[in-house]
Amino acid sequence: MTQSEAIPRFPTSIGTSDPDRITLLGQDLAADLMGKVGFGELALWLVTQQRPTPAQVRVFEAVLVALADHGLTPTALAARLTFLSAPDSVQGAVAAGLLGGGSRFLGVTEDTGRFLADALAQAGDPRPADDASWDAIALAAVQRARADGKFVPGLGHPVHKVTDPRTPVLIQIARAEGLYGAHLRLFEAIGRIHPQVLGRTLPLNGAGTCGAALADLGLPADLLRGFALLARTAGLLGHIAEEMRRPIGMDVYLAVDHNVDYLMPDSAPNP
Amino acid sequence: MTQSEAIPRFPTSIGTSDPDRITLLGQDLAADLMGKVGFGELALWLVTQQRPTPAQVRVFEAVLVALADHGLTPTALAARLTFLSAPDSVQGAVAAGLLGGGSRFLGVTEDTGRFLADALAQAGDPRPADDASWDAIALAAVQRARADGKFVPGLGHPVHKVTDPRTPVLIQIARAEGLYGAHLRLFEAIGRIHPQVLGRTLPLNGAGTCGAALADLGLPADLLRGFALLARTAGLLGHIAEEMRRPIGMDVYLAVDHNVDYLMPDSAPNP
Amino acid sequence: MTQSEAIPRFPTSIGTSDPDRITLLGQDLAADLMGKVGFGELALWLVTQQRPTPAQVRVFEAVLVALADHGLTPTALAARLTFLSAPDSVQGAVAAGLLGGGSRFLGVTEDTGRFLADALAQAGDPRPADDASWDAIALAAVQRARADGKFVPGLGHPVHKVTDPRTPVLIQIARAEGLYGAHLRLFEAIGRIHPQVLGRTLPLNGAGTCGAALADLGLPADLLRGFALLARTAGLLGHIAEEMRRPIGMDVYLAVDHNVDYLMPDSAPNP
Amino acid sequence: MTQSEAIPRFPTSIGTSDPDRITLLGQDLAADLMGKVGFGELALWLVTQQRPTPAQVRVFEAVLVALADHGLTPTALAARLTFLSAPDSVQGAVAAGLLGGGSRFLGVTEDTGRFLADALAQAGDPRPADDASWDAIALAAVQRARADGKFVPGLGHPVHKVTDPRTPVLIQIARAEGLYGAHLRLFEAIGRIHPQVLGRTLPLNGAGTCGAALADLGLPADLLRGFALLARTAGLLGHIAEEMRRPIGMDVYLAVDHNVDYLMPDSAPNP
């Protein structure tokens, strides 16, 4: 048994407590936050460690509302099937649902924010003043993506082929709150110019618009997926609560089970 | 290849969409919810499928704010260590943090709601009108728990030995909103009478008070852990964002690694 | 900035390393384990911290093989749907599949081991010598469960109504290896006597037999679910690999999506 | 309520069952696999859907043994802290540990396999016959990585500065089994030539060697992380079992908690 080594200090600005007081973000949780701060407001504050303005909170909550649910998606089904198998562990069902929050379905918000931020960094200062100049930046960014064989994130939607109804509403909210900034502006320019590069007209989708709006709140791209996960947690709880009341998990399983084709490994046509 | 069997229909009241419209909870998401409904309000609505009143939303958000974070807890550390190991997968770090949301640390809210609901069911109708009668119900419930060798949930706190500062504030908010009901009332009665059964005076803790307040919103015990998980998701995002900016995960690991005593398996004093 | 407090030592007997040597379970990993110890053997050793005998390894691996996969179960579907959504994070898909390893589907192995261990503890020493005496212990245990309104774990199977083909094979392997002990013996007695209590004849299922066989290896009930999870990890990797080559996740999602009945919240018949 | 649409068939070659028989990989599970096939062998078979040879199994199990545990790593700590918080959910603790299996700590095996496969594809056929020619391929690959500003995976280790003891042993096992192929050969060439590009001599680490050995078994890079996860599951079960017997989770938490520096958000030096 040797002497313990000294360990480093662990700095945090999130929370601490003593017998009489709980401190969160430097505030007195009970006296200053509970009943006075909304949950969306607190979530944004926790991530940035800066108190958001009411305008920022309104845009932020509109984004969370826009992203909370998309019906019986693969991630909602994963949560419901996990709840079916392990009803004693609600946290496991929520976690299983969140684990689908990766590149394909939940990544658009983050990818769009990053794409726009990169394009703005590339364009440099000062920011242009008229639409024509924004269109030029957009065109350069889309052409660069095309040349690199990359997708332009935030374009297109499997259901909303012409207009994603969330897009104009979110842009209008951002404008009304004075938070329509460079990222949303560039995103709209991409909406105008992409047909001349891609050869077809795609809608600006809601998840991408959310990424642009969050970026205009000053949030870095690395954090955007986290907000999509927070929004989705509310949706997953809705699905789990509905599964408790009117379950479909067993029927999903049986629908698959009754339609399995068992192929002997040899005959399996693996390309 | 055989004929596919018909599969059942899958009912849901959460979300659906068509090319022009996204429906959530029977509402038009873009026209009626975005920018008009707060995130906490939507989360409660998603779970109950009934539109909450402003009073319910205020109590509900106060609960979420109360539960969002408790500093560098084991679950916050699990999320930060997971982010250290897999920084490419924010969803994995959030999920790892939520998976600690089990019986010991996050279960108090649910356990208290269930304990109170059971005690009220046992006491039957009509609900008493004076404190003395509430104290009698509380006494019976605490004595029953004691006789069964069970803990009374919601009592005591490792840091707040005398008063948990969240408790009086949350009760006051519920009273102000007209939502101080049977569960909170019984919980306060337990606060008065438990010393005569347990032989010492413990504070009503904040997590337990949250359980009582949520139960007074009409939420069943099975859903309460889910709300604690939602609140904690915001706290975990705060920790992950702080870990991105000013990491401690590696230092936590090294603090352990530098202080390991490797014991040969034979000599390990396993009781 | 205050002085760091001393921290405790962290004992472990699992692994450690220095520049020239990796120690695992007190052995030299490279010199003594790699190429000399099978993976199943190592897994059992890691959990018990005692080197297993070849006979124990054979029974243990037979159990893992028996539990590795059950086709397109809810947990396999959860893993595949998670992989569909987040193909960049194989660990998330595996984790989602394991999170269904709770009370309902994967808990039988653990529940049976615990039920048998409790019944043996209740019966006390010495262990009986003839089948009639074992039947008496089994009868008491099943009657006690029945009186308490509890299920007897390990009985019945949705597909194998008469005999679970794994059961006789595993019992035979345990006998052949000299590891047919009190738990398996009691489980077989339950197979004989339960019809007179339950009024119908159910097969001893494979998952329950695995629990009994693991208990006869001296493994405590708290660890049994862990082995079921290890076995299932192999099955889940098989499903994820097949999903990479010949995906069905999207079809599962679409099969649900095309058959959704969206019910307005008001009309939802929530009981 | 509309007519259900037909759903597609769901092909699988993994498992199926009928009342009398369980089929796994086209085999009779009870008659042909249990007691006759090791767990490592089954895991490899499940992933490839081709029965492995005894030589392949020996190399594969040596890899799993090499990767099973690395002591009190961040992922082991995440699993133990999750178990501390939610001891009722072993599956959650295992899942939390696996979720750290991302790019930084568990990704080396996969990254190395992919790097070597890409370099071999680039070099084309036929494969060279002498070390000098292998060195030329290795040199080109390392120079290309260097020019692209990328790391060469599989080089270097924080503890084993000169030689990772697993590396020569695994190479020797592969040679003995006749499975020393192009990937291991190229990896050894990288070990010889990298100093002239990188300017310093680094050891071939064990995780990278495992990736090369698995690639020489014909396994594609996309599957390699999965095997690291399987190996790690055994290690995590060892940690959770040790945590049950001789817990350290609470001490890890307290070691952090007692050494927190709470910084007011304003004063936090976020770079």
Side-chain angles (χ1 to χ4, degrees):
Chain A
M1 182 74 72
T2 61
Q3 176 75 30
S4 286
E5 288 194 27
I7 59 165
R9 304 294 299 175
F10 301 105
T12 186
S13 302
I14 296 179
T16 189
S17 61
D18 63 32
D20 298 322
R21 183 185 151 113
I22 300 171
T23 300
L24 189 64
L25 296 161
Q27 312 291 309
D28 183 320
L29 171 69
D32 299 336
L33 300 180
M34 287 172 62
K36 295 174 180 162
V37 168
F39 179 58
E41 181 177 354
L42 181 69
L44 182 53
W45 195 347
L46 275 163
V47 168
T48 64
Q49 298 196 0
Q50 295 183 325
R51 179 159 208 162
T53 66
Q56 290 171 328
V57 172
R58 184 153 178 263
V59 172
F60 180 67
E61 295 208 274
V63 166
L64 294 185
V65 168
L67 297 177
D69 190 73
H70 295 78
L72 289 170
T73 56
T75 58
L77 294 177
R80 285 174 178 253
L81 289 163
T82 303
F83 182 76
L84 168 70
S85 300
D88 48 316
S89 170
V90 168
Q91 71 271 23
V94 174
L98 291 179
L99 288 172
S103 52
R104 194 172 303 178
F105 282 86
L106 235 63
V108 176
T109 299
E110 176 181 357
D111 293 343
T112 306
R114 182 168 284 122
F115 182 86
L116 297 170
D118 289 349
L120 290 169
Q122 197 107 9
D125 287 324
R127 297 279 161 78
D130 55 29
D131 277 359
S133 308
W134 282 104
D135 286 5
I137 297 177
L139 190 62
V142 172
Q143 285 172 331
R144 211 157 41 225
R146 177 84 165 186
D148 295 350
K150 289 180 183 162
F151 281 101
V152 178
L155 292 179
H157 193 280
V159 173
H160 311 299
K161 306 282 188 190
V162 179
T163 303
D164 186 321
R166 296 169 294 182
T167 297
V169 171
L170 190 55
I171 289 171
Q172 177 197 332
I173 292 169
R175 282 188 184 278
E177 299 295 341
L179 290 164
Y180 178 83
H183 299 82
L184 278 168
R185 196 154 189 187
L186 178 57
F187 195 50
E188 289 207 282
I190 289 173
R192 289 189 297 271
I193 62 82
H194 77 270
Q196 67 190 89
V197 185
L198 306 184
R200 58 192 179 132
T201 302
L202 296 166
L204 299 176
N205 62 43
T209 312
C210 287
L214 292 175
D216 272 346
L217 295 183
L219 297 164
D222 285 342
L223 296 177
L224 301 193
R225 191 186 297 191
F227 296 123
L229 293 168
L230 175 63
R232 190 53 62 92
T233 302
L236 290 170
L237 290 177
H239 282 283
I240 293 168
E242 196 179 71
E243 186 71 19
M244 288 179 182
R245 289 190 299 256
R246 195 175 56 204
I248 64 165
M250 181 58 81
D251 278 346
V252 171
Y253 161 55
L254 293 175
V256 175
D257 190 58
H258 292 168
N259 291 287
V260 163
D261 277 328
Y262 189 73
L263 306 179
M264 291 299 284
D266 286 353
S267 70
N270 289 333
Chain B
M1 183 73 70
T2 61
Q3 176 76 28
S4 286
E5 288 193 27
I7 59 165
R9 305 292 301 176
F10 301 106
T12 185
S13 301
I14 296 178
T16 190
S17 60
D18 63 33
D20 299 322
R21 182 184 152 114
I22 300 172
T23 299
L24 190 63
L25 296 163
Q27 312 291 310
D28 183 320
L29 172 68
D32 298 336
L33 299 180
M34 286 173 63
K36 294 175 180 162
V37 168
F39 179 58
E41 182 178 353
L42 181 69
L44 182 53
W45 194 349
L46 276 163
V47 168
T48 64
Q49 298 198 0
Q50 295 183 325
R51 179 160 206 161
T53 66
Q56 289 170 329
V57 171
R58 184 153 178 262
V59 172
F60 181 67
E61 295 208 276
V63 167
L64 293 185
V65 168
L67 297 178
D69 190 75
H70 295 79
L72 289 170
T73 55
T75 59
L77 294 177
R80 285 174 178 253
L81 289 163
T82 303
F83 182 76
L84 168 69
S85 299
D88 48 316
S89 171
V90 168
Q91 71 271 25
V94 174
L98 291 180
L99 288 172
S103 53
R104 195 173 303 180
F105 281 87
L106 236 61
V108 176
T109 299
E110 176 182 357
D111 293 344
T112 305
R114 182 167 284 123
F115 181 86
L116 297 171
D118 289 349
L120 289 169
Q122 197 107 10
D125 288 324
R127 297 281 161 75
D130 55 29
D131 276 359
S133 308
W134 282 103
D135 286 6
I137 297 177
L139 190 63
V142 172
Q143 284 172 332
R144 213 158 38 226
R146 177 82 165 186
D148 295 351
K150 289 181 183 160
F151 281 101
V152 177
L155 292 179
H157 193 281
V159 173
H160 311 299
K161 305 283 189 190
V162 178
T163 303
D164 187 321
R166 295 169 295 182
T167 298
V169 170
L170 189 56
I171 289 171
Q172 177 197 331
I173 292 169
R175 282 187 184 280
E177 300 295 341
L179 290 163
Y180 177 84
H183 299 83
L184 278 168
R185 195 151 188 189
L186 177 59
F187 195 49
E188 290 207 283
I190 289 172
R192 289 190 297 269
I193 61 83
H194 76 269
Q196 68 190 87
V197 185
L198 306 183
R200 58 195 178 130
T201 301
L202 297 166
L204 298 177
N205 63 42
T209 311
C210 288
L214 293 174
D216 272 347
L217 295 183
L219 297 165
D222 285 342
L223 297 176
L224 302 193
R225 193 187 297 190
F227 295 122
L229 293 167
L230 175 63
R232 189 55 63 92
T233 302
L236 290 170
L237 289 177
H239 282 283
I240 292 168
E242 196 179 73
E243 186 72 20
M244 287 179 183
R245 290 191 299 257
R246 195 175 56 206
I248 65 165
M250 183 57 84
D251 278 347
V252 171
Y253 162 56
L254 293 174
V256 175
D257 190 58
H258 291 168
N259 291 287
V260 163
D261 277 328
Y262 189 74
L263 306 179
M264 291 299 283
D266 284 353
S267 69
N270 288 333
Chain C
M1 182 74 69
T2 60
Q3 176 76 28
S4 287
E5 288 194 28
I7 59 164
R9 306 293 300 177
F10 300 104
T12 186
S13 301
I14 296 179
T16 189
S17 59
D18 63 33
D20 299 322
R21 182 186 153 113
I22 300 172
T23 299
L24 189 65
L25 296 163
Q27 312 291 310
D28 183 321
L29 172 69
D32 299 336
L33 299 180
M34 286 172 63
K36 295 175 180 161
V37 168
F39 179 58
E41 181 177 354
L42 181 70
L44 182 54
W45 194 348
L46 275 162
V47 168
T48 64
Q49 298 196 359
Q50 294 183 323
R51 179 160 208 163
T53 64
Q56 289 171 330
V57 172
R58 183 151 179 263
V59 172
F60 180 67
E61 294 208 275
V63 166
L64 294 184
V65 168
L67 297 178
D69 190 73
H70 295 78
L72 288 170
T73 56
T75 59
L77 294 176
R80 285 174 178 252
L81 289 163
T82 302
F83 182 76
L84 168 70
S85 299
D88 48 315
S89 170
V90 168
Q91 71 271 23
V94 174
L98 291 179
L99 289 171
S103 53
R104 195 172 304 179
F105 282 85
L106 235 63
V108 176
T109 300
E110 175 181 357
D111 293 344
T112 305
R114 182 167 284 121
F115 181 86
L116 297 171
D118 289 348
L120 289 170
Q122 197 107 9
D125 287 324
R127 298 279 161 77
D130 54 30
D131 276 0
S133 308
W134 282 104
D135 285 6
I137 297 177
L139 189 64
V142 172
Q143 284 172 333
R144 212 157 40 225
R146 177 83 164 187
D148 295 351
K150 290 180 183 162
F151 282 101
V152 178
L155 292 180
H157 193 281
V159 174
H160 311 299
K161 305 283 189 190
V162 178
T163 303
D164 186 321
R166 297 170 293 182
T167 298
V169 170
L170 190 55
I171 289 171
Q172 177 197 332
I173 292 169
R175 282 188 185 279
E177 299 296 341
L179 290 164
Y180 177 83
H183 299 82
L184 278 169
R185 195 153 189 188
L186 177 59
F187 195 49
E188 289 206 283
I190 289 172
R192 289 190 297 270
I193 61 84
H194 76 271
Q196 67 190 88
V197 184
L198 306 183
R200 56 192 180 133
T201 302
L202 297 166
L204 299 176
N205 63 43
T209 311
C210 288
L214 292 174
D216 273 346
L217 295 183
L219 297 165
D222 285 343
L223 297 177
L224 301 195
R225 192 186 298 191
F227 295 122
L229 293 167
L230 175 62
R232 190 54 63 92
T233 302
L236 290 169
L237 290 177
H239 282 282
I240 293 167
E242 195 179 71
E243 186 71 19
M244 289 180 181
R245 290 191 299 257
R246 194 175 57 204
I248 64 164
M250 183 57 83
D251 278 346
V252 171
Y253 162 55
L254 293 175
V256 175
D257 191 58
H258 291 168
N259 290 287
V260 163
D261 277 329
Y262 188 75
L263 306 180
M264 292 298 284
D266 285 353
S267 70
N270 289 333
Chain D
M1 182 74 69
T2 61
Q3 176 76 29
S4 286
E5 287 193 28
I7 59 165
R9 305 293 302 176
F10 301 106
T12 185
S13 302
I14 296 179
T16 189
S17 60
D18 63 32
D20 299 322
R21 184 184 151 114
I22 300 172
T23 299
L24 190 63
L25 296 163
Q27 312 291 310
D28 183 321
L29 171 68
D32 298 336
L33 299 180
M34 287 173 62
K36 294 175 181 164
V37 167
F39 179 59
E41 181 177 355
L42 181 70
L44 182 52
W45 194 349
L46 275 163
V47 168
T48 64
Q49 298 196 0
Q50 295 183 325
R51 180 160 206 161
T53 65
Q56 290 171 329
V57 172
R58 182 151 179 261
V59 172
F60 181 67
E61 294 208 275
V63 166
L64 294 184
V65 168
L67 296 177
D69 190 76
H70 295 80
L72 289 170
T73 56
T75 58
L77 294 177
R80 285 174 178 253
L81 289 162
T82 303
F83 182 76
L84 168 70
S85 299
D88 47 317
S89 170
V90 168
Q91 71 271 26
V94 173
L98 291 179
L99 288 171
S103 53
R104 195 173 304 179
F105 283 86
L106 235 62
V108 176
T109 299
E110 176 181 357
D111 294 345
T112 305
R114 182 167 284 121
F115 182 87
L116 297 171
D118 289 349
L120 289 170
Q122 197 107 10
D125 288 322
R127 298 279 162 75
D130 55 29
D131 276 359
S133 308
W134 282 104
D135 285 6
I137 298 177
L139 190 63
V142 172
Q143 284 172 332
R144 213 159 39 226
R146 177 81 164 189
D148 295 349
K150 289 181 183 161
F151 282 101
V152 178
L155 291 179
H157 194 280
V159 174
H160 311 298
K161 306 283 189 190
V162 178
T163 303
D164 185 321
R166 296 169 294 181
T167 298
V169 170
L170 190 55
I171 290 171
Q172 176 197 331
I173 292 169
R175 282 188 184 279
E177 299 295 341
L179 290 163
Y180 177 84
H183 299 83
L184 278 168
R185 195 151 189 188
L186 177 58
F187 195 49
E188 289 207 285
I190 289 173
R192 289 190 297 270
I193 62 83
H194 77 270
Q196 68 190 88
V197 185
L198 306 183
R200 58 195 177 128
T201 303
L202 295 166
L204 298 176
N205 62 43
T209 311
C210 288
L214 292 175
D216 272 347
L217 295 184
L219 297 164
D222 286 342
L223 297 176
L224 301 194
R225 192 187 297 190
F227 295 122
L229 293 168
L230 175 63
R232 190 53 64 91
T233 302
L236 290 169
L237 289 178
H239 282 283
I240 293 168
E242 196 179 73
E243 186 72 19
M244 288 180 183
R245 288 190 299 256
R246 195 175 56 205
I248 65 166
M250 182 57 83
D251 278 346
V252 171
Y253 162 55
L254 293 174
V256 175
D257 190 59
H258 291 168
N259 291 286
V260 163
D261 277 329
Y262 189 75
L263 306 179
M264 290 299 283
D266 285 354
S267 69
N270 290 334

